[in-house]
Amino acid sequence: MRRLCVIPGDGIGREVVPVAIEVLERLLPDLQVEEAEAGWGCFERRGMSVPQTTLASLSACGAGLFGAVSSPSHRVEGYRSAILTLRQELALNLNLRPVRSRPRVSPRQGVDLMILRENSEGLYSGREHWESDGVAIAERVISRSACVRLAAGAAELARLRNARRITLVHKANVLPLTCGLFRDTCRDALAEEGWSDVLDERLVDVAALQLVACPEAFDLIVTTNLFGDILSDLASHWGGGLGMAPSLNLGDAIALAEPVHGSAPDIAGSGRANPLAAILSAGMLLRHHWRLPALAERLEAAVDVFLEEEGSVDFGIGTTREVGRGVLQRLG
Ligand code: NAI
Ligand code: MG
């Protein structure tokens, strides 16, 4: 029996997650769903952003769906970002962020790429301190072991999508130690797996330009934590924007699906949050965690048919409930 731990979180996370669960339950009628808490609201209620019970529930289920959480942009004593805590505590070392052109809502057709983002270190190491008055330091950690893990994930994804190109994105000209270690380790490991012929590399600034100018030239992008965060928001434009962008955090035994967007306080409560990013994230659990590609394809096809019939380029695709109902109808 399959189990899923659901963490709605804050803001629109609470609005889009129930819709994604309804879609998932239609495809997996025997799915056992349990709800857990995390985020800013949880911190305000209980003094912690991720309770132990949430970690235990996710570990026991092996699969999770996370909505979004709010984080203050200043330091709050005792608060740690819930999603960063989950990624670190559960060793969710990889982050898969696919971007595909979708009917009518995408400003450009023909884009189909995957950004594989390192998810445990880099500038998200949490090692920030004041060196002296007026000088703050953040440490960017790159380890060979994390790069080896990332490259193994990249090789697996490359096999899955029969990759025509793998692009390592870094900034080794300015950061020769950290980015050099990343590039060399990933390059050697992928070459050993037989991918030399399609292996390529780009400096992150040029990669950003090319993702804007010719996104269809990319297939699988492999990069560090912060670069992956930024480039995936940029690339999500081609898939129809943040409301359409799914992701999956992946560890050895646990997968946590998560729409790329945040808690969107500007539209929370209006009923107009797009649930498709959450629905497509649930589809990534089907494909990559439960290994049910036929069901993942059914979900994606229902989304595409819905967009084909009811989508529009100005993103006016309806309320959260209307979109959910529209996708459910097309699942049959
Ligand atoms: P955001 O992703 O919440 O919103 C950015 C813009 O996109 C807003 O105008 C919002 O209305 C729109 N948007 C996002 N998702 C949408 C959807 N599903 N449908 C329609 N429109 C959507 O990013 P922002 O505003 O920078 O951050 C808000 C809060 O979310 C902050 O507290 C931030 O820390 C947190 N955050 C959390 C993340 C997570 O939980 N993984 C990721 C990013 C931000
Ligand atoms: Mg982001």
Side-chain angles (χ1 to χ4, degrees):
M1 188 193 23
R2 293 187 179 85
R3 293 170 67 188
L4 179 72
C5 172
V6 173
I7 305 169
D10 303 310
I12 65 166
R14 311 196 70 78
E15 301 167 31
V16 295
V17 158
V19 178
I21 295 302
E22 224 180 314
V23 169
L24 210 46
E25 284 178 328
R26 177 73 67 86
L27 291 165
L28 291 174
D30 64 347
L31 184 70
Q32 212 180 51
V33 176
E34 49 189 78
E35 192 167 317
E37 297 184 278
W40 180 249
C42 175
F43 177 75
E44 286 187 319
R45 279 190 305 278
R46 304 186 47 179
M48 60 193 108
S49 61
V50 181
Q52 276 302 325
T53 46
T54 297
L55 294 173
S57 167
L58 260 171
S59 301
C61 291
L65 177 64
F66 178 93
V69 293
S70 302
S71 283
S73 54
H74 52 276
R75 200 173 218 168
V76 173
E77 201 51 45
Y79 178 81
R80 239 179 110 208
S81 155
I83 189 65
L84 290 188
T85 303
L86 289 168
R87 288 171 182 163
Q88 274 164 12
E89 294 287 323
L90 301 171
L92 303 170
N93 298 312
L94 309 179
N95 195 316
L96 281 58
R97 299 192 156 193
V99 177
R100 269 182 69 182
S101 300
R102 297 285 171 191
R104 292 164 75 97
V105 292
S106 282
R108 182 166 180 144
Q109 292 303 309
V111 180
D112 182 2
L113 60 87
M114 169 77 82
I115 296 178
L116 176 64
R117 163 186 174 191
E118 204 289 321
N119 215 23
S120 64
E121 51 179 33
L123 259 178
Y124 291 69
S125 65
R127 287 157 65 165
E128 257 197 322
H129 63 272
W130 289 107
E131 189 177 62
S132 58
D133 187 29
V135 181
I137 304 280
E139 291 177 297
R140 181 172 190 262
V141 178
I142 302 285
S143 66
R144 183 172 288 117
S145 57
C147 296
V148 166
R149 250 182 346 237
L150 185 70
E156 163 112 33
L157 279 174
R159 270 189 294 278
L160 257 184
R161 36 190 306 124
N162 196 13
R164 57 189 160 80
R165 189 176 173 205
I166 304 174
T167 313
L168 303 177
V169 173
H170 58 78
K171 189 75 182 174
N173 55 338
V174 175
L175 301 163
L177 290 189
T178 50
C179 268
L181 178 61
F182 161 80
R183 182 204 44 207
D184 295 347
T185 309
C186 288
R187 191 181 51 203
D188 293 351
L190 282 161
E192 218 167 279
E193 296 268 348
W195 291 99
S196 316
D197 288 352
V198 298
L199 208 49
D200 197 6
E201 58 181 276
R202 283 287 177 281
L203 296 177
V204 63
D205 38 2
V206 175
L209 168 67
Q210 293 182 341
L211 269 171
V212 171
C214 50
E216 47 290 284
F218 291 97
D219 186 357
L220 176 59
I221 292 173
V222 183
T223 192
T224 57
N225 207 338
L226 179 66
F227 294 165
D229 190 5
I230 296 170
L231 292 181
S232 59
D233 270 33
L234 184 157
S236 78
H237 179 67
W238 301 123
L242 275 179
M244 298 290 307
S247 81
L248 186 69
N249 301 279
L250 207 54
D252 286 341
I254 303 175
L256 180 63
E258 175 206 352
V260 170
H261 63 72
S263 59
D266 55 339
I267 57 163
S270 72
R272 300 206 69 84
N274 184 349
L276 291 176
I279 291 173
L280 292 167
S281 300
M284 293 187 75
L285 283 173
L286 292 169
R287 185 182 300 279
H288 298 280
H289 180 66
W290 289 313
R291 312 254 171 200
L292 298 167
L295 289 187
E297 266 148 44
R298 240 179 95 194
L299 180 148
E300 294 214 5
V303 169
D304 282 352
V305 172
F306 164 74
L307 290 171
E308 194 71 67
E309 292 174 358
E310 300 198 25
S312 72
V313 280
D314 63 0
F315 309 106
I317 53 176
T319 65
T320 310
R321 283 185 178 285
E322 282 164 357
V323 176
R325 213 175 305 129
V327 173
L328 280 170
Q329 270 164 12
R330 279 138 185 115
L331 273 179

